[in-house]
Amino acid sequence: MCLAIPGKITEIYQKNALQMAKIDFGGVAKEICLEFVPEAKLGDYALVHAGFVISLMNETEAEESIQLIQEVSRFDNEVS
């Protein structure tokens, strides 16, 4: 199963001729490639899979996705 995680773009820069970003995932920042979404801008919410932003989303969609992921995680912990 593949899972894409939402995060907020906090920095955009070039690295090795690629458009890259620092994306905040609830306090954890990761370097992510923006090449698939060149229209991305600072403050946007992005859906990230395997080190790449695969789409942009609004803040409400991002928050709803994060809540669902947290619910699944809690359920998994209860079952295990």
Side-chain angles (χ1 to χ4, degrees):
M1 177 171 96
C2 297
L3 182 65
I5 306 293
K8 186 174 184 177
I9 299 172
T10 59
E11 185 179 341
I12 296 175
Y13 53 93
Q14 292 285 319
K15 182 177 179 181
N16 299 324
L18 295 173
Q19 187 170 348
M20 302 294 290
K22 288 284 183 183
I23 298 188
D24 178 36
F25 299 96
V28 176
K30 296 285 185 181
E31 183 178 65
I32 305 294
C33 183
L34 289 176
E35 287 295 312
F36 294 149
V37 287
E39 70 276 15
K41 57 189 179 304
L42 200 60
D44 282 350
Y45 285 84
L47 196 56
V48 177
H49 175 68
F52 292 86
V53 173
I54 57 174
S55 68
L56 299 175
M57 56 194 335
N58 66 43
E59 185 175 5
T60 302
E61 292 169 324
E63 288 174 358
E64 289 173 355
S65 295
I66 291 167
Q67 286 179 337
L68 288 171
I69 291 167
Q70 289 171 341
E71 287 178 28
V72 169
S73 177
R74 280 193 298 271
F75 177 76
D76 186 48
N77 288 336
E78 290 174 6
V79 173
S80 299

